[in-house]
Amino acid sequence: MAGALAADIKENILTCNICLGEYEDPRVLPCYHTFCYGCISDHATRTLTPNRTFLCPICREKLQFPAGGLNQLKKNFSFSKTKDIITKQQERQTLEEEQANVAAVTQAIAQMTISCEKHPDNELKYYCEDDNTVICGKCIATGHGGHRISSVMQVAKINKDKIKTALERTMKTTNRFKEALETANKTDDPHIKTHTIKNIKKQTQNVRKFIDQREETLISEVNSAYDNWKKQKEATKGILEFHHASLHSACDFAQELIANGTDSEIMLHAKPLIVRLAVMEKTPVPTPDTPAHISYIPGKIYTAGLKAMLGQVTEELQLPLPGQGTNPRSAPNLPVFFEKAKCMHSFCPRLKGDIIFRIYGLAVDEQYTYVVDQYNSWLWNARTKLFTHDGELKFDFKLNNPFDIAVSQTGHLFITSRVDKCVKVYSTRDIDWVKSCVHVLSPTGNPLYQYGEKGSEPLSPCGVCTDSYGQIFIADNIKHRIVVLSPQGQFFRYIATKADGLNNPVALAINPAGQLVVAEEDGMIKTFQYS
């Protein structure tokens, strides 16, 4: 029985997905998939990008090549010990060992201890908080003198509880992805397309033969709309599978660590694993059931206007994911940019008595456009103004030296005042004027990337905003243009340039209709349809 168990474990658990053989020096990637050290080294070296990144062979997550080399990857404690146990059992097979079961193997794994690599005769009983590593008693004297040393047993218990708590929260997100994935796998309804085409054909029977070309055009639009919907549905399914695989892998690893990991092993993985689980817990689950709305509106039959006779095909697709992120797989339906941005309308928020006028802040919500201007009278009293989207003033109010303004989805308005200090907001705008670059930070405040750094085209950034796809828009004041970056901070294109009538943009916002609202330095507010 033990021999069969060992063979089953080797075939189903201890097999590398690259070489399809038993693991040799198994190493864990940050996405918690495990490969032979040699296999993953070869894969990473062959596929390494100029940015020193490579993709996991299983989940395709983009991973950063470790600064110290792949030997910095942590070993998979569970796989290594299981293989050692099976090898030892096969070397001393007896009749009693043939009757061993899974429980015996699991118990043996749990009872094993990790010896110190530097001092093989010593067990790893201590944890160095300064170096975040598990050590033996001899290591304290040889390399960790004066460091904060704790009992690995005590610290491991605390971190085991933390991992368990993080795992329980993340499992809820995993289950939601599972349910969403099941919904995404439901069979498509072909009647949506066929019913629309049937109505088109019925309408075309009442007109003359020369409109056949228009009929074919309309049918092509229906097929295109339906194909777009199917592509979006497949993209959503791919996103669900990707996040579900990542969540499942991390949760499996955490469960195995809690169940079978020694105190030393728990401390070896605790910090990165807890951070990983906490991040993945907050992964938003998109709604995969994205119904296609394809409608046909027949026109009145008369001799003039063939397009009006046959009507038009309309398409409404609900986006599966909100703008997020820094991964391109999470935004499968980026907008198609116009050749040139088109100014939809504009207005000037300058009021009677505003002798000296300059806009500093801009925000837009579903009802109003908010403007902060400075030096608008001989007394240099700044005001915050509230307009309709058409430029009709509703009211204005004074606040000592307002600088910028923002409005949240909950309807709260935030205004920075450097005199009253009514809102404590750190403004990166002062830094952008000096360093001429835009910094992008993670939700925890860690720097992700920056645009406009030394070596790139000179930039004079003022206002900045993002759209629902995560794309970044920057008002390049001196060059009279809007710079568009990808969600990963890479240059995409310029829109709304001086050739389009744009002059010294200073503030930006995206309105509920998805249009770009730009405030110019001389006081004009312009709205552009850019996609």
Side-chain angles (χ1 to χ4, degrees), residues 398-458:
K398 295 181 179 180
L399 185 69
N400 283 339
N401 201 11
F403 189 79
D404 204 353
I405 189 168
V407 59
S408 71
Q409 294 181 347
T410 59
H412 295 88
L413 191 65
F414 302 91
I415 305 174
T416 60
S417 172
R418 290 182 290 186
V419 175
D420 290 342
K421 298 182 180 180
C422 61
V423 177
K424 290 186 177 180
V425 176
Y426 179 78
S427 173
T428 60
R429 188 169 162 192
D430 288 334
I431 300 176
D432 293 340
W433 275 110
V434 177
K435 296 187 176 180
S436 295
C437 65
V438 175
H439 297 270
V440 180
L441 309 180
S442 71
T444 57
N446 296 320
L448 297 178
Y449 45 80
Q450 68 181 54
Y451 178 78
E453 54 194 275
K454 184 177 181 181
S456 63
E457 186 175 356

Side-chain angles (χ1 to χ4, degrees), residues 115-282:
S115 299
C116 179
E117 293 184 1
K118 296 181 179 179
H119 313 100
D121 295 333
N122 293 355
E123 294 182 3
L124 300 173
K125 295 183 178 180
Y126 304 97
Y127 171 67
C128 177
E129 297 183 15
D130 291 346
D131 296 333
N132 186 27
T133 185
V134 183
I135 58 177
C136 69
K138 197 169 184 179
C139 288
I140 298 176
T142 58
H144 298 269
H147 292 186
R148 294 173 296 171
I149 307 298
S150 304
S151 167
V152 72
M153 180 183 300
Q154 296 175 351
V155 183
K157 184 179 183 305
I158 296 174
N159 281 275
K160 186 174 183 179
D161 293 338
K162 291 181 179 179
I163 295 174
K164 184 177 180 181
T165 300
L167 173 62
E168 290 174 351
R169 291 196 298 263
T170 307
M171 282 299 295
K172 295 179 181 179
T173 303
T174 304
N175 292 334
R176 291 197 295 271
F177 265 94
K178 181 180 179 182
E179 294 173 359
L181 190 57
E182 291 173 353
T183 303
N185 286 326
K186 290 182 178 179
T187 305
D188 297 336
D189 182 7
H191 299 292
I192 297 174
K193 179 176 69 173
T194 57
H195 180 70
T196 305
I197 295 176
K198 181 179 179 180
N199 287 340
I200 293 172
K201 288 184 175 291
K202 182 178 179 180
Q203 178 71 3
T204 57
Q205 290 174 359
N206 300 321
V207 297
R208 294 175 297 190
K209 290 183 179 180
F210 67 84
I211 66 170
D212 288 343
Q213 184 177 0
R214 179 58 182 167
E215 177 190 2
E216 293 175 1
T217 300
L218 289 170
I219 294 174
S220 175
E221 290 176 356
V222 172
N223 288 327
S224 177
Y226 186 79
D227 290 341
N228 288 340
W229 173 69
K230 289 196 68 175
K231 289 179 182 178
Q232 178 173 305
K233 190 177 182 70
E234 287 299 318
T236 302
K237 180 181 176 182
I239 295 169
L240 291 170
E241 290 175 341
F242 167 74
H243 286 295
H244 182 262
S246 298
L247 287 161
H248 193 271
S249 174
C251 292
D252 281 354
F253 187 87
Q255 288 175 330
E256 180 66 19
L257 183 62
I258 293 173
N260 301 319
T262 65
D263 294 339
S264 300
E265 292 151 358
I266 290 173
M267 292 311 306
L268 189 64
H269 294 276
K271 286 190 175 181
L273 181 54
I274 292 172
V275 171
R276 173 82 177 183
L277 291 173
V279 171
M280 300 184 78
E281 173 203 348
K282 296 180 174 60

Side-chain angles (χ1 to χ4, degrees), residues 275-316:
V275 171
R276 173 82 177 183
L277 291 173
V279 171
M280 300 184 78
E281 173 203 348
K282 296 180 174 60
T283 304
V285 182
T287 302
D289 189 12
T290 310
H293 296 283
I294 307 174
S295 60
Y296 171 69
I297 305 174
K300 293 182 179 181
I301 299 177
Y302 53 93
T303 57
L306 296 181
K307 289 186 179 180
M309 285 186 190
L310 292 179
Q312 60 185 5
V313 173
T314 60
E315 167 189 11
E316 297 178 13

Side-chain angles (χ1 to χ4, degrees), residues 290-348:
T290 310
H293 296 283
I294 307 174
S295 60
Y296 171 69
I297 305 174
K300 293 182 179 181
I301 299 177
Y302 53 93
T303 57
L306 296 181
K307 289 186 179 180
M309 285 186 190
L310 292 179
Q312 60 185 5
V313 173
T314 60
E315 167 189 11
E316 297 178 13
L317 291 179
Q318 176 185 353
L319 293 176
L321 283 176
Q324 53 173 272
T326 59
N327 194 316
R329 290 171 64 100
S330 65
N333 295 294
L334 293 177
V336 178
F337 281 85
F338 293 153
E339 185 66 25
K340 294 185 66 175
K342 180 168 55 177
C343 183
M344 305 302 292
H345 62 82
S346 63
F347 72 92
C348 179

Side-chain angles (χ1 to χ4, degrees), residues 101-121:
N101 52 28
V102 177
V105 176
T106 303
Q107 182 179 5
I109 292 174
Q111 291 176 348
M112 289 189 65
T113 59
I114 297 180
S115 299
C116 179
E117 293 184 1
K118 296 181 179 179
H119 313 100
D121 295 333

